[in-house]
Amino acid sequence: MVVLFPMLLVIFFSFTLESLLKPFGEASFVSQMLGGIAVGPSLLTRSNRLRQLIFPPKVINMIGVIECLGLIFMFFTLSARIDKGIVKKSGTLGIVLGIGAFFIPMAVTTAMTAVIKNGIDIEEQLRSTLPMVATLEATTSFHVILAQLTELKLLNSDIGRLALSSSLLSTLIGWFVPTIFVYANELGDKEAMTARQMLMSNLSVVVMVIIIVFAVRPVIFWMVKRTPEGKPLAQGNIVAINVIVLVLALVGELTGQNGYLGPFIFGIITPVAPPMGPLLVDKIQYFVWTAFIPCFMINTGRRVDLFKIKQNHFAAIELTILTSGCAKIFAIVVPCLYSRVPFMDSLALALILNCRGLYDVQVFTRAKQRGQITDESFAIMVVTAMLQSAVVLPLVKLVYDSSKRYVAFRKRTIQNCEHHAELRILACINQIENVPTIINTVEVSNPPQCNIAVYVMNLEEYVGQSMPVVIPHRLDKPQTSKPSKIDHITNALYRFQQSNSDFVSVQCFTAVAPYASMHDDICTMAFQKSTSIIIFPFQKTDPPSIRKVIDNVLDMSPCTIGILYDRGVFMDFRPIFSRKTTIDVCMIFIGGPDDREALALASRMARHRGMLTVLRFIAENNSLRGIKEKNLDQEMIADFRISHIDHKNVEYVEEKVEEGSDTAKIVNTTGCDFDLIIVGRRHIEDTAALRGLEEWTEILELGVIGDLLASEDFKGKASVMVIQQQAHSLRLEPTYSLVPWKNRN
């Protein structure tokens, strides 16, 4: 209980500052560190009497123990998230950046420290520790980069994947190089451990790794095997894992190693897939961040005394840090430019890899405890790390426009796809009930004997700050004894492909990522596969997270979007044309690019077995933009009528309306006769046909007419396809790909 008061103080300061800084887009690390510093001698405990009251020796000892436990589990949770193949997937550029981002800043900054020693009057203790400051500032923390990319919602982007892979490699290098320096210093010290002691210490590390790999790892896989699919890990297994983490930390301390090494290696061998990986981490991490991390911030804040910093020492350390940051930017930007990465993207990547966070502060703390850096150096480095994080995130948002990644040179729309050319469709699935919907929609959307390529993306959320991954699947893989969700999906897609093998090709992927950035995987796949349309099933019962994914895709998609609100016509697993001889389709045409795109899709459907009715609403619109769009609409309608003049299954109807209420009445009276209604999502502002309807729109993703058709008041039972045409202006396609995907073509 004696520790509770300072913990509550830190939490109070942190949450208060976070609420004040959040509107400015600042990272949570900034508010956490400010909260820790606020309870230290720099502010709250500046008075010795108050310091002794809040931090008596008993409290300090307990805080130190809790902090140590927190750091042990922090290292375990960090390594348990790591996708071990990410460096391999990143290609040569990721490896070059990972190595260069450490060694170039370290070399340049170490050389600068020699100049600083001769040019600035500093104390001998600080003079001797400047090379270690240079080494520490050259390091990059993988966890910090992961957290920053999550806040920026760039985890699934090419630049995010490259940042993760290069920071992981740089972190691993940063772990071992300072250790080698310490051993080198100890070899030159007569009072340090003997060569035999060092040999035994290193041998103990090898023994620990062998035990973890060959004894502990089988136990973990046994736990996974006994856990039913889709179920969380049993509580007893979670307790056992926590005990193993603590035992490995104790063994590390007893054998002369760092207590964090065993938990880190244990996390590395922990499977990334559920129920382990992020799902396990979330169960442990909640307690770690609510109980242990405040103690870490308290101890950090206690060690930072801004009033003891001397001006010349501040100048020396800051010059070292500034040199390291500039060298790291150079080491990242130059290889990126050589690989034809745009300058702004290269600069954004360099800024991201210059971010600092709690794990960096922990490294600084260890160096201070070992006497490798001075108290002043530690205080300056902590405050500068906080300022770096405060400045870098807004700068990245300023220089990096994520939407530019998906802008194509040629329009990728149904309108621009030739009638007999291969139609490429990206279909998104967030639940297994979407599978028949997608298959039947694809079947209806393409004329007979026309080639079609379908890319199906199964969307899975990874809970927590985990790394995104896109997994390709084979459709003809043998079924397991206990089929999973993806097995059912691939089996259904395989049967669909086999029944249409002459004209249909299907590829299936699983995108595992946080919902906040899942749209990046969808848009990247659509961009790389040159799809003409993305089909996204939609239900009113979908969680807000799925609707947010749809919103983001609507904003950034490189091609047309089709949002399908299915009332049950397409949900049956039986092929739709084995149940219904014809599909009655209605296309509601009001005007605008989205309606013209919807008409192009309806025109393709008319060449299938079905009836198509084009219902056009004519209303006055005297704006200049409206006149221009009206001319384009007229050309589109004329071309459509000429191309289908001899088709008996196509009917064209015009209705004159004066306001939105007229439109609503006509839609309600005619909507009962159709299986599918296709509408555009966006229309020209102040269109008379929609006047008064905008105020009643509830589901913005469906647009005004789509929301009207999906409402409970609509009398028909037709499904609704809402179309939005590619929204971006034309620009050149990027000539680079930061991270190659397997089976991209």
Side-chain angles (χ1 to χ4, degrees), residues 93-103 165-167 169-171 173 353:
L93 182 57
I95 297 173
V96 169
L97 293 180
I99 296 173
F102 179 81
F103 284 108
S165 60
S166 55
S167 65
L169 183 57
S170 186
T171 299
I173 296 172
L353 292 179

Side-chain angles (χ1 to χ4, degrees), residues 470-503:
V470 176
I471 307 168
H473 301 287
R474 285 179 54 194
L475 298 185
D476 58 343
K477 67 177 181 178
Q479 294 294 306
T480 59
S481 57
K482 190 171 65 173
S484 61
K485 172 188 173 183
I486 194 62
D487 289 329
H488 292 299
I489 293 173
T490 54
N491 186 41
L493 295 174
Y494 180 67
R495 291 201 304 268
F496 171 63
Q497 181 177 257
Q498 289 298 103
S499 62
N500 302 274
S501 57
D502 293 337
F503 305 103

Side-chain angles (χ1 to χ4, degrees), residues 328-585:
K328 188 176 291 187
I329 291 175
F330 174 83
I332 294 166
V333 170
V334 171
C336 286
L337 293 178
Y338 181 78
S339 300
R340 295 189 296 177
V341 178
F343 175 73
M344 284 301 184
D345 291 9
S346 306
L347 182 59
L349 178 62
L351 291 172
I352 291 170
L353 292 179
N354 265 296
C355 283
R356 293 295 183 186
L358 286 178
Y359 279 90
D360 296 300
V361 174
Q362 183 273 328
V363 173
F364 301 158
T365 303
R366 285 177 54 202
K368 178 184 176 298
Q369 291 171 342
R370 290 178 173 179
Q372 296 168 339
I373 60 175
T374 63
D375 292 345
E376 279 184 284
S377 300
F378 173 78
I380 296 169
M381 292 168 73
V382 168
V383 173
T384 306
M386 182 182 64
L387 294 176
Q388 275 181 271
S389 185
V391 172
V392 163
L393 256 67
L395 280 178
V396 172
K397 293 176 182 178
L398 183 65
V399 303
Y400 186 66
D401 182 7
S402 58
S403 65
K404 292 192 298 184
R405 303 192 302 275
Y406 310 122
V407 180
F409 175 70
R410 59 183 294 270
K411 281 200 170 185
R412 294 174 178 174
T413 64
I414 303 293
Q415 270 186 271
N416 293 90
C417 182
E418 298 292 336
H419 287 295
H420 296 286
E422 181 185 60
L423 178 65
R424 296 190 172 197
I425 297 176
L426 173 61
C428 298
I429 293 175
N430 63 80
Q431 52 188 343
I432 198 166
E433 289 78 10
N434 297 150
V435 177
T437 300
I438 291 298
I439 291 176
N440 288 320
T441 304
V442 169
E443 183 74 18
V444 171
S445 301
N446 201 56
Q449 298 185 341
C450 285
N451 293 328
I452 184 170
V454 184
Y455 305 96
V456 179
M457 181 167 280
N458 174 39
L459 308 180
E460 295 284 351
E461 181 186 20
Y462 240 359
V463 184
Q465 295 175 341
S466 54
M467 293 192 304
V469 61
V470 176
I471 307 168
H473 301 287
R474 285 179 54 194
L475 298 185
D476 58 343
K477 67 177 181 178
Q479 294 294 306
T480 59
S481 57
K482 190 171 65 173
S484 61
K485 172 188 173 183
I486 194 62
D487 289 329
H488 292 299
I489 293 173
T490 54
N491 186 41
L493 295 174
Y494 180 67
R495 291 201 304 268
F496 171 63
Q497 181 177 257
Q498 289 298 103
S499 62
N500 302 274
S501 57
D502 293 337
F503 305 103
V504 177
S505 65
V506 182
Q507 293 185 37
C508 184
F509 302 85
T510 292
V512 187
Y515 281 137
S517 57
M518 189 172 283
H519 61 279
D520 275 311
D521 276 334
I522 298 171
C523 293
T524 300
M525 179 69 73
F527 186 88
Q528 294 181 343
K529 299 297 183 181
S530 300
T531 59
S532 296
I533 185 172
I534 300 173
I535 298 178
F536 217 122
F538 175 85
Q539 291 294 326
K540 291 183 179 180
T541 55
D542 285 342
S545 54
I546 291 294
R547 293 182 62 174
K548 184 61 178 176
V549 174
I550 296 176
D551 286 339
N552 291 333
V553 174
L554 287 170
D555 289 339
M556 303 177 66
S557 172
C559 63
T560 293
I561 311 289
I563 303 175
L564 178 63
Y565 178 71
D566 193 352
R567 280 197 168 93
V569 177
F570 297 95
M571 288 183 181
D572 198 324
F573 269 94
R574 294 174 298 169
I576 194 166
F577 286 109
S578 68
R579 295 178 279 122
K580 296 178 71 67
T581 55
T582 61
I583 299 296
D584 295 323
V585 179

